[in-house]
Amino acid sequence: MSTPHNNAQVGDIAKTVLMPGDPLRAKFIAETFLENPVQFNTVRNMCGYAGTYKGKKVSVMGSGMGMPSIGIYSYELYKFYGVENIIRIGTAGAYSPKLDVFDTVLAKDCWSESTYALAQGGNTSDVQLPSPQLNEKIEQAAKELGIELTLGRIHSSDVFYHEDAYNFDFYNDHGCDVVEMESFALFHNAKVLGKHAACLVTVSDSLVTHKETTAEERQTSFTNMMKIALEAAINA
Ligand code: HPA
């Protein structure tokens, strides 16, 4: 069996999948951290791999950018491939002055102006929640690795480029610490399908200090987050 967007066969994919946005980051993670990685998806170059980490089967697959994209891939993984847990590992921009580039943030919840949950299943809430069990595994993994983790509220935005004249303050108005573009749809899909999702992000740029990281750094320097996610994945 395959889907319109994934040519994996049932059984090819591990029950826990790490999802970076960038498919090339999925390739990098698989080739750097997994033993015997095998590519299970080639459709639209949305690379997905399964391999082992410390002897346990784990998968990693790109989600693409934005809620419609992660909405499709995560729904298919949960519904058609028996996936139980998805840990999004991404980058985010910091709204909070307390956060610096390369800080690692675990979503305690996410807020969005998106209509994804409404359009998908009639859910009118503007807040979606991660799995407490998966968050606990992630916090435990970070503690064991001695890596500092900040719990925060994610703004899952539909828009990367806002009009200059549009004044927004998601930090003060909605309590959002960082901004990315996927977790709201992922958490909603997990909820409607009775599955588990979490979201770990590394701060790649600050909307307060305007510090930025390069594309190359984004691909290679997020080792802390990947290690946490992999340790959590094998214990999930
Ligand atoms: N906006 C939205 N998504 C992001 C950003 C941002 O500034 N930085 C990293 N992901």
Side-chain angles (χ1 to χ4, degrees), residues 189-208:
N189 278 354
K191 182 182 60 195
V192 297
L193 295 169
K195 306 280 183 161
H196 297 275
C199 174
L200 264 175
V201 289
T202 300
V203 175
S204 59
D205 52 285
S206 168
L207 284 88
V208 185

Side-chain angles (χ1 to χ4, degrees), residues 32 84 86 104 121 128 141 146 173 183 212 236:
T32 309
E84 292 296 323
I86 296 178
T104 308
Q128 300 291 335
D173 294 348
S183 57
E212 283 180 6

Side-chain angles (χ1 to χ4, degrees), residues 19-23 46 61-66 69-71 73 88 182:
M19 290 198 101
D22 179 354
M46 195 53 79
M61 178 177 170
S63 69
M65 289 184 287
S69 185
I70 197 167
Y73 292 113
R88 165 166 153 70
E182 292 82 17

Side-chain angles (χ1 to χ4, degrees), residues 7-214:
N7 54 3
Q9 298 302 304
V10 172
D12 287 351
I13 307 177
K15 80 177 170 92
T16 301
V17 181
L18 309 188
M19 290 198 101
D22 179 354
L24 289 183
R25 200 173 302 141
K27 183 173 192 279
F28 171 81
I29 296 166
E31 289 172 353
T32 309
F33 295 101
L34 300 187
E35 299 117 27
N36 309 313
V38 175
Q39 187 166 2
F40 61 71
N41 188 43
T42 54
V43 180
R44 290 176 183 249
N45 283 325
M46 195 53 79
C47 312
Y49 303 81
T52 58
Y53 184 72
K54 299 189 177 171
K56 294 203 179 144
K57 190 170 175 180
V58 179
S59 285
V60 54
M61 178 177 170
S63 69
M65 289 184 287
M67 289 181 245
S69 185
I70 197 167
I72 291 170
Y73 292 113
S74 63
Y75 195 92
E76 291 182 350
L77 290 172
Y78 285 140
K79 179 100 178 173
F80 306 119
Y81 290 104
V83 169
E84 292 296 323
N85 311 299
I86 296 178
I87 304 174
R88 165 166 153 70
I89 41 174
T91 57
Y95 291 147
S96 168
K98 294 179 204 132
L99 290 167
D100 199 359
V101 290
F102 297 124
D103 281 355
T104 308
V105 178
L106 175 64
K108 70 170 159 50
D109 59 13
C110 70
W111 178 91
S112 187
E113 72 280 37
S114 165
T115 53
Y116 182 90
L118 180 67
Q120 197 282 332
N123 185 310
T124 54
S125 177
D126 54 11
V127 173
Q128 300 291 335
L129 301 172
S131 153
Q133 294 97 308
L134 209 45
N135 267 16
E136 199 180 306
K137 302 277 181 204
I138 291 169
E139 287 185 89
Q140 200 180 317
K143 204 165 166 188
E144 278 164 19
L145 289 162
I147 300 170
E148 202 182 319
L149 202 55
T150 306
L151 271 171
R153 169 171 277 195
I154 303 229
H155 174 205
S156 227
S157 180
D158 268 338
V159 177
F160 189 88
Y161 296 107
H162 289 96
E163 261 330 271
D164 286 343
Y166 175 56
N167 258 321
F168 58 84
D169 190 348
F170 298 107
Y171 180 63
N172 286 304
D173 294 348
H174 300 287
C176 300
D177 299 296
V178 292
V179 55
E180 51 83 90
M181 307 184 76
E182 292 82 17
S183 57
F184 186 81
L186 174 64
F187 293 175
H188 170 78
N189 278 354
K191 182 182 60 195
V192 297
L193 295 169
K195 306 280 183 161
H196 297 275
C199 174
L200 264 175
V201 289
T202 300
V203 175
S204 59
D205 52 285
S206 168
L207 284 88
V208 185
T209 62
H210 303 290
K211 258 200 231 171
E212 283 180 6
T213 57
T214 65

